[in-house]
């Protein structure tokens, strides 16, 4: 085997290596919400479709996240696909210590009491079926209960450490 042109020198596995590689991976942006004593939520780029039958999704959440204590007990979660016009909303839900459900966030209580964000491209309410420990995170697997894919616009994307939009 010969070396391929353009490949750099391999680096030993580390959190920084993983972050550096995934900065190059464009990902859709979602906000996950749950109802607790106060509603909680966070920005996620780890949302995945797991299965069509039954309809399952998954996402990762850090165990040090302020949302984790509620998500660790929540029976249902909201999954919101953000549009390119929602960069500030994504940043609010990504920022530690932010008042995520303050006056600048438009939301309502939806099915199963899950906080639903307004003006998103699509949303789902899901029943949590598993929480799998994974390093300093948990992978949450949830079954879709209901949703609405009817929002208009283009998706928000996270790439190279910033929120951006698709280009044609």
């Amino acid at each position: 085997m010969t070396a391929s042109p353009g490949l750099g020198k391999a680096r030993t596995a580390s959190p920084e290596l993983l972050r550096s590689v995934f900065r190059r991976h464009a990902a859709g942006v979602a906000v996950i919400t749950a109802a607790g004593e106060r509603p909680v939520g966070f920005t996620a780029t780890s949302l995945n479709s797991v299965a069509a039958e039954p309809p399952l999704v998954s996402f990762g959440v850090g165990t040090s996240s302020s949302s984790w204590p509620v998500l660790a007990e929540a029976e249902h979660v909201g999954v919101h696909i953000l549009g390119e016009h929602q960069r500030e909303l994504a940043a609010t839900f990504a920022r530690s210590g932010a008042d995520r459900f303050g006056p600048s966030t438009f939301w309502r209580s939806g099915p199963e009491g899950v906080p639903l964000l307004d003006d998103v491209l699509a949303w789902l309410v899901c029943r949590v079926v598993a929480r799998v420990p994974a390093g300093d995170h948990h992978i949450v697997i949830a079954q879709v209960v209901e949703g609405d894919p009817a929002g208009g616009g283009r998706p928000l994307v996270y790439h190279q450490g910033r929120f951006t939009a698709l280009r044609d």
Side-chain angles (χ1 to χ4, degrees):
M1 181 182 277
T2 60
S4 298
L7 289 181
K9 183 178 179 194
R11 293 170 35 192
T12 303
S14 69
E16 184 51 40
L17 172 63
L18 188 66
R19 285 187 204 99
S20 294
V21 167
F22 273 86
R23 280 187 196 107
R24 298 178 183 277
H25 174 72
V29 180
V31 168
I32 309 299
T33 60
E37 220 173 274
R38 294 186 51 179
V40 299
F42 67 97
T43 300
T45 56
S46 61
L47 179 65
N48 290 290
S49 169
V50 174
E53 190 56 44
L56 298 171
V57 298
S58 71
F59 57 88
V61 57
T63 53
S64 65
S65 162
S66 61
S67 298
W68 174 244
V70 172
L71 286 163
E73 303 293 327
E75 291 184 28
H76 292 86
V77 295
V79 175
H80 308 81
I81 308 300
L82 300 191
E84 65 184 357
H85 63 287
Q86 294 178 303
R87 289 179 183 165
E88 190 53 42
L89 182 66
T92 297
F93 276 81
R95 196 169 26 253
S96 181
D99 185 3
R100 296 174 180 153
F101 290 90
S104 65
T105 301
F106 298 100
W107 65 282
R108 66 190 186 285
S109 183
E112 305 297 338
V114 171
L116 292 181
L117 303 175
D118 290 345
D119 198 29
V120 295
L121 297 187
W123 61 265
L124 299 168
V125 170
C126 304
R127 181 178 56 82
V128 175
V129 296
R131 294 173 183 87
V132 181
D136 60 354
H137 280 61
H138 270 75
I139 305 302
V140 177
I141 301 172
Q143 185 171 349
V144 176
V145 174
E146 60 185 284
D148 183 1
R154 295 165 50 112
L156 184 62
V157 177
Y158 189 73
H159 183 246
Q160 292 287 16
R162 65 185 184 94
F163 299 112
T164 187
L166 294 175
R167 287 181 262 175
D168 291 329

